[in-house]
Amino acid sequence: MAKAASRELCLFPVPGPDILRIYQSGPLNGEARLTANPREANVLLIIGDMNPDMAEQAAIVYAQMPRPRVLVLAGPKHLDPLPHPDVHVALEKDFLQTALPAVRECLSNLAWIDEPEPYQPEALVNEIEEAGKQQGHMHHHHHHGHGDHGLGDHDHSQHSGHGHSHEGHDPSAHQHGNAEEGHNHDHGNHDHGHLSGHKKEGHDHSAHTHSAHEGHDHSHEDHKNHGHSHSGEAEAGESKGCHVASDKPGHDHSQDTKHQHEGHDHSGHDHGEHGHEGHEQHGEHSHGSEGHSHSHGQQSGEKKDSHSGHQKHRHEGHDHSGHDHGAHHHDHGHEQEGHEHSGYQHGEHSHGHEGHGHEEHDHGGHDHGHGGHDHGSGFMSMIAMTKDLPRSSDGLPMEWSDVQFGPFHPGLPGGLRLSMKLDGDTVAEAVVDRGLPGRNLLTSVPENPAALPEYLEAVNPMAPVTYRLLAQKALLNFSDEAGNSALTLSEAVLLEKERINSHLNWLAVFASTLGSSWMRDQAIKHYHLFQNDTGNREQLSGFIRRIKKMLYLKLKLSAAVHNPGGTEKHSQEAAGTHKNHHHEHNADSHSGHCHEESDEQKPHDHGGHEGHEHHHGAQGHGEDHKHHEEHGHSHEGHDHGGHQHGEHDHHSHEMHQHTGHETHDHHEHVHHDHASKDEKNKVTGAVPGQLPDDITGPVARAAGIEKDHRLEEAVYQQAGWTPVTAAGNNAWSRLMVRLDEIEQSLRFIEKAGNDSGKESSRKINIPSVGMGNGIAHIETPRGIVTLKFHIHEGKLAHMHLTTPSVALAGLVKPVTEQQELADALIAVNSLDISPWEINP
Amino acid sequence: MLYLIKQSLGKTLEEPGKDIPAESGNLAPKPAWLRYHVRYYGYALLFLAFDMEMAYMYPWAVVYQEVGLLALLDMGVFLMILFLGLVYTWTQLGLKRQ
């Protein structure tokens, strides 16, 4: 059986399939298949070295894989906290061919082991415990209307209206786990079924008149010391809906005014009076009777069961923030797995919880709105209850969830992690986590400048040739008195070949996200063909034509664009409104970029101003991006879908010709968010406002900005090369630009003739006593990369790399805001961010 | 049966992370049950209405051939009434996701 199972190999590559493709000569044809989910995989394939953060993520993936499972490391011999690999191979081309037979053997031999060792990495265990504590901590902040709940006595006397009439509710006896907070509803497995259907498990709510507690399944599972400390603090921070396995501190039903029901889904849970009317089973809420120790932690049934009616008080995620158990109107139906009181009206949650802070209120259906929850007032308006909940774009208070996409998400570049706040299926906010796959190589710069090309090649496995060429250019720039670091034709051909491969690899990931398996498979096929220099230009062109004809895709990725600018040139009237805007808005078409490319450094801070040293030095640049850049801000026809260019209170969108930018201060890249939410473009991947100047590459060109360093290269000029631009500023135009660039590169390579792109044979002499700076720019498939270094006495003293992906990462938030999740992922994909280029 | 087979194969090894949803290499201990937006209630109602419509069409389909044009007209009226409801919902943005 094990042998039969070992025939079906399901690989989960880490960081991602796009990295695996780099090391494969061809697609996997039946030998194995890639899976998108580690739970479907039996082989975890780690490709290359990785930093400890990513290794931890990989360990989590490994822990989540079902047995039998095999760990394959290609490259490093061991990575903590992963276990020792079952199969280790060197990271080289086609390493998988070497590894697969060993994997099969492993699976068939080791599938059934009598006494397997559980895999319990300390980091994972700690993280799970930490997460559990946080969940419980969320519960802890169920200050019953009290800002700092949890102190001492749960003075139920203040729960006036708190039909909870805890008379007899002796807080001291109310041993909710930690008795230090008064009312510690230790709803471990405490089913506060305060209603018919409420299974009570020792939930002693004596006189706990839980009215209409339908479904109040305070399933306080694992709620040891479920301290319903409805504190005023927005403890949740993130919306903790249903807490699972929470070690919650005592459910402090004490007088908390600030009832933060993070995740307290008391939908319909009318804690108002806590009258528990209808709380049939809530017979004897001998709440307060001794023995009412809501230590339902693990005492599922062994407790003081006077929780008749306390059903499943599973407070997982029972963030009674605002849950004023004072007036526990545990309405019927107050069931909550994870405490989702769907339909609960904590409106009447008259817990008297003033200041019911519902920040991050994960009330799946739980309308607590305990603002102004007044112990004793007996009434809580819905507005008050929900005042602190995050608002959706339509104004409804809804729970938001925090989700991580990546670093091993099949629909994103391998290694890229997005942290998203989701409002249902809409993205409220998304940010890129930086530095995850970074190999931190920039911290270990080699001393020998001659080693720089090889060193840089390893920085970005997605574009090794480009980075090597960049290093060579910079060294030539440094060493050659003539400063002749221009690319040769051969090097240009290499660059274009890598561009084709990079775009095809990107297309495969993009197609995966789109859900088009045909496009993905074709892209992979052509990628491998061109990687091996056996590609067929006609076939590839045919494939590209088919994509361009996909009308539905075009509609999906672009929309009827509200383009007030249209093709008109924005008049100069806007110039007056530009802040610090000294552009000369010539309407002339510029002949190209005027990269103030001189030996004086006017650094183009392309991409990544964060954390990069902006050596704006020489020209009196300030820190805030005085970009002396070629503003090919040709925004005419710049589809800012939905953008009101009229409102662009900044750059006029005209063709700028900045030859010699003297003091341009422009850029406060004011991304005017023209949108009001309604106006906000609904175009997939559109960037609201104007693109920042540090955006280069296909993203900039797709917005009509002719920024391309190849314009500065003589070899391209001689070939009559011009950059491909598009008029849209959306995912479709970026796709079109990349497809057109593929074709353009094919033409360039064909025109180069027999020069098949050999390695440069130029000699680079680094004098042993040399001192000085080297700088070079190169147009990578994602944008312009700038390398600067300083050599002192023949040794590399300092190096700085400016990459386009850092700036592109900054676009993630605007392109994803208020987009539906799938569209947001497509939009992020369309930016082609390389996580290898983003270092902390 | 499958459960019994599984049980007979051996005890499950308790390991951390196994029962936590996979989230691309991150831990996701929180359940994903959140409250749905109220617009989905509208979708559900609409579905229900047209589902009932479909249910009524089954017996109609059985007798359609026998009854002929009259059946077609009757059902057409029925469908038209429901279609008007759909159009109303559409115009009232009930089908809009955002």
Side-chain angles (χ1 to χ4, degrees), chain A residues 669-682:
Chain A
H669 283 302
V670 186
H671 267 277
H672 290 284
D673 184 13
H674 300 283
S676 59
K677 302 282 196 229
D678 293 338
E679 293 170 351
K680 192 154 271 241
N681 62 84
K682 296 291 194 273

Side-chain angles (χ1 to χ4, degrees), chain A residues 692-714:
Chain A
D693 279 353
D694 50 4
I695 300 294
T696 57
V699 174
R701 292 193 284 277
I705 304 170
E706 284 193 10
K707 274 187 192 173
D708 199 315
H709 186 70
R710 288 173 285 180
L711 287 166
E712 311 299 315
E713 296 288 346

Side-chain angles (χ1 to χ4, degrees), chain A residues 565-592:
Chain A
T567 53
E568 74 202 25
K569 293 188 177 153
H570 290 274
S571 68
Q572 302 225 347
E573 86 222 348
T577 63
H578 295 292
K579 309 180 212 187
N580 304 323
H581 195 93
H582 301 283
H583 288 296
E584 299 174 57
H585 298 292
N586 296 333
D588 308 331
S589 56
H590 51 228
S591 47

Side-chain angles (χ1 to χ4, degrees), chain A residues 39 67 119 242 365 394 397 406, chain B residues 15 18 20 25-26 31 35 37:
Chain A
R39 301 229 184 221
R67 291 173 182 263
Y119 176 59
C242 309
D394 54 8
Chain B
E15 289 176 304
K18 239 179 170 177
I20 296 179
N26 302 283
R35 187 174 51 161
H37 196 280

Side-chain angles (χ1 to χ4, degrees), chain A residues 499 502-503 506 691 695-708 710 723-742 779-784 804 808 811 830-832:
Chain A
R499 192 179 314 279
S502 176
H503 286 343
W506 165 81
L691 282 182
I695 300 294
T696 57
V699 174
R701 292 193 284 277
I705 304 170
E706 284 193 10
K707 274 187 192 173
D708 199 315
R710 288 173 285 180
V724 172
T725 56
N729 178 21
N730 50 47
W732 175 255
S733 60
R734 290 174 206 134
L735 172 64
M736 289 300 103
V737 163
R738 290 191 180 98
L739 293 178
D740 288 341
E741 285 188 352
I742 290 174
E779 182 71 24
T780 69
R782 288 168 188 84
I784 300 175
L808 291 175
L811 289 183
S830 71
L831 298 176
D832 193 11

Side-chain angles (χ1 to χ4, degrees), chain B:
Chain B
M1 174 65 75
L2 284 173
Y3 178 75
L4 291 173
I5 292 172
K6 173 251 173 194
Q7 288 289 78
S8 66
L9 292 176
K11 204 178 158 188
T12 306
L13 200 57
E14 293 290 332
E15 289 176 304
K18 239 179 170 177
D19 54 353
I20 296 179
E23 200 175 272
S24 310
N26 302 283
L27 285 176
K30 303 180 297 248
W33 302 309
L34 294 176
R35 187 174 51 161
Y36 286 102
H37 196 280
V38 67
R39 64 172 171 264
Y40 292 102
Y41 172 68
Y43 299 160
L45 286 182
L46 210 59
F47 160 75
L48 197 62
F50 284 92
D51 200 37
M52 290 298 105
E53 172 187 338
M54 194 175 70
Y56 282 117
M57 290 183 77
Y58 280 112
W60 168 83
V62 170
V63 300
Y64 168 68
Q65 204 167 15
E66 195 181 305
V67 179
L69 182 63
L70 186 60
L72 180 66
L73 292 174
D74 286 342
M75 182 51 73
V77 170
F78 178 59
L79 290 178
M80 180 57 62
I81 293 168
L82 287 172
F83 180 70
L84 289 175
L86 178 64
V87 169
Y88 171 75
T89 307
W90 194 345
T91 56
Q92 297 299 311
L93 305 179
L95 300 179
K96 205 166 174 273
R97 188 190 70 81
Q98 277 181 315

Side-chain angles (χ1 to χ4, degrees), chain A residues 303-573:
Chain A
K303 293 253 174 77
K304 350 332 206 158
D305 286 9
S306 4
H307 284 296
S308 41
H310 274 291
Q311 222 159 21
K312 270 220 332 161
H313 201 105
R314 280 187 290 146
H315 281 278
E316 314 169 277
H318 180 98
D319 294 324
H320 284 283
S321 44
H323 177 121
D324 186 349
H325 280 262
H328 272 303
H329 271 300
H330 288 283
D331 299 335
H332 284 276
H334 188 102
E335 80 249 30
Q336 68 261 66
E337 281 79 50
H339 206 85
E340 57 220 28
H341 299 277
S342 38
Y344 263 85
Q345 306 309 320
H346 275 272
E348 293 108 80
H349 201 120
S350 55
H351 287 276
H353 292 287
E354 291 83 10
H356 220 108
H358 284 277
E359 294 86 35
E360 319 297 343
H361 213 127
D362 260 351
H363 290 279
H366 169 97
D367 304 317
H368 272 270
H370 292 276
H373 201 120
D374 188 18
H375 274 281
S377 69
F379 177 75
M380 170 96 39
S381 72
M382 286 301 294
I383 293 170
M385 281 167 60
T386 59
K387 67 170 184 164
D388 291 319
L389 277 181
R391 253 46 179 188
S392 300
S393 56
D394 54 8
L396 278 182
M398 296 292 294
E399 298 79 9
W400 290 5
S401 55
D402 292 315
V403 188
Q404 307 281 342
F405 283 85
F408 312 131
H409 194 272
L412 289 173
L416 186 70
R417 181 164 69 181
L418 292 185
S419 298
M420 286 196 183
K421 278 195 191 304
L422 294 182
D423 174 15
D425 58 355
T426 303
V427 176
E429 189 184 340
V431 291
V432 171
D433 287 353
R434 304 201 167 182
L436 196 58
R439 293 172 175 172
N440 295 321
L441 291 179
L442 295 183
T443 57
S444 57
V445 178
E447 277 191 351
N448 181 8
L452 192 58
E454 197 179 319
Y455 170 83
L456 273 191
E457 200 178 2
V459 166
N460 186 354
M462 307 295 286
V465 172
T466 307
Y467 275 68
R468 190 171 66 243
L469 288 174
L470 173 69
Q472 286 171 352
K473 271 189 81 176
L475 287 172
L476 274 171
N477 199 1
F478 168 78
S479 64
D480 190 338
E481 291 80 16
N484 183 15
S485 60
L487 289 173
T488 61
L489 182 61
S490 172
E491 288 169 345
V493 168
L494 280 176
L495 197 62
E496 294 310 309
K497 282 182 176 176
E498 183 152 89
R499 192 179 314 279
I500 293 172
N501 289 338
S502 176
H503 286 343
L504 285 172
N505 203 4
W506 165 81
L507 185 61
V509 179
F510 190 64
S512 295
T513 316
L514 286 175
S516 172
S517 52
W518 163 81
M519 196 192 297
R520 182 199 65 214
D521 294 340
Q522 287 293 307
I524 291 173
K525 178 186 107 181
H526 287 292
Y527 170 81
H528 286 300
L529 288 174
F530 278 86
Q531 193 188 37
N532 302 329
D533 281 330
T534 56
N536 185 308
R537 189 192 157 184
E538 280 72 36
Q539 283 184 1
L540 181 56
S541 297
F543 169 55
I544 291 172
R545 270 196 304 275
R546 271 190 76 175
I547 295 175
K548 290 182 177 180
K549 285 182 190 166
M550 295 170 82
L551 279 181
Y552 176 68
L553 184 64
K554 183 177 180 180
L555 283 173
K556 180 180 165 64
L557 299 182
S558 62
V561 171
H562 171 49
N563 185 13
T567 53
E568 74 202 25
K569 293 188 177 153
H570 290 274
S571 68
Q572 302 225 347
E573 86 222 348

